[in-house]
Amino acid sequence: MSFDCLKLMHELSTGNGASLLLYTAPVLTFSRVFKKKSTEEFSCLPYVMTLFNCLIYTWYGLPIVSHCWENFPLVSINGVGIVLESIFIFVYFCYASPKEKIKVGVIFVPVIVVFGLTTAISAVVFEDHRHRKSFVGSVGLVASISMYGSPLIVMLPNMVGTPLGILQLIIYFKYKNKKEAPITTTVVGKWDHEKNKSKLELVVDVDHDADADDNEKKFMNAC
């Protein structure tokens, strides 16, 4: 058995095995979607970005970009990834709400457009495998970063909301037992004999402590 064959078998058994685990990880999520007939709060962004990554690296491994079949392991595992992620996205679209379906289209269409432009430019503009691999590989790097970073983008609102929620709880428990001082107002009418006219007194009674007998009173006179 030649060294190249041993190298190919090693790549297929290790790298492709790890990638296969990554691509099949959403199976548990979609089993829940099947049972509840709803996508709930799940986002389709990670699955679309993973599909984009698989498309780019499958194209990278084909003889049009690479030399012959030197990158056959890339084609094999990413081809499986394309099938799996396409199924996940289709299931998500079927059970998503109308609003979420629009989001799927907004994310999915640009990904397909970028992939189409990548294949067209690499096949037409560049004439040798070296430049094609450099170009597609650069796009693949962006696709990989997008794939691994997409779950963080989905989690970002929760990462911001959690500290704010904790702050609200702290404020609530700090002030929940404090009561506002009751305010009582009374209007008293009196006759001023010196000025020979009536006088109104507005009495504002602020009780700072319900159990205390001393009240602070403020008076405002009106003619």
Side-chain angles (χ1 to χ4, degrees), residues 18 55 71 77 194 199 202 207 217:
L55 288 170
N71 288 312
I77 188 58
E194 295 180 356
K199 180 175 67 174
L202 179 63
D207 190 356
K217 295 185 178 180

Side-chain angles (χ1 to χ4, degrees), residues 94-113:
C94 290
Y95 291 106
S97 63
K99 183 179 179 180
E100 291 298 322
K101 289 180 179 179
I102 295 176
K103 290 182 180 180
V104 174
V106 170
I107 300 172
F108 183 79
V109 172
V111 164
I112 298 302
V113 171

Side-chain angles (χ1 to χ4, degrees), residues 162-174:
T162 299
L164 295 178
I166 294 174
L167 179 61
Q168 289 178 350
L169 289 175
I170 293 173
I171 294 174
Y172 170 75
F173 283 109
K174 183 177 181 180

Side-chain angles (χ1 to χ4, degrees), residues 65-203:
V65 177
S66 298
H67 180 69
C68 295
W69 289 100
E70 62 179 353
N71 288 312
F72 175 75
L74 276 179
V75 178
S76 60
I77 188 58
N78 284 286
V80 174
I82 291 173
V83 174
L84 291 175
E85 299 305 323
S86 299
I87 293 173
F88 294 150
I89 295 171
F90 176 76
V91 173
Y92 184 96
F93 188 84
C94 290
Y95 291 106
S97 63
K99 183 179 179 180
E100 291 298 322
K101 289 180 179 179
I102 295 176
K103 290 182 180 180
V104 174
V106 170
I107 300 172
F108 183 79
V109 172
V111 164
I112 298 302
V113 171
V114 172
F115 173 68
L117 290 174
T118 302
T119 57
I121 292 173
S122 60
V124 176
V125 175
F126 301 104
E127 298 181 354
D128 57 80
H129 293 291
R130 184 172 65 86
H131 288 92
R132 288 175 182 174
K133 289 172 67 175
S134 298
F135 173 72
V136 179
S138 300
V139 179
L141 178 61
V142 175
S144 295
I145 295 173
S146 301
M147 180 183 70
Y148 291 110
S150 57
L152 296 178
I153 297 174
V154 174
M155 292 173 60
L156 185 59
N158 292 331
M159 294 172 65
V160 175
T162 299
L164 295 178
I166 294 174
L167 179 61
Q168 289 178 350
L169 289 175
I170 293 173
I171 294 174
Y172 170 75
F173 283 109
K174 183 177 181 180
Y175 294 103
K176 70 173 183 176
N177 293 325
K178 293 189 177 183
K179 299 180 180 179
E180 294 183 356
I183 300 177
T184 304
T185 58
T186 306
V187 179
V188 180
K190 294 183 179 180
W191 181 263
D192 191 340
H193 295 283
E194 295 180 356
K195 296 183 180 180
N196 195 26
K197 63 179 181 179
S198 63
K199 180 175 67 174
L200 297 178
E201 291 184 353
L202 179 63
V203 181

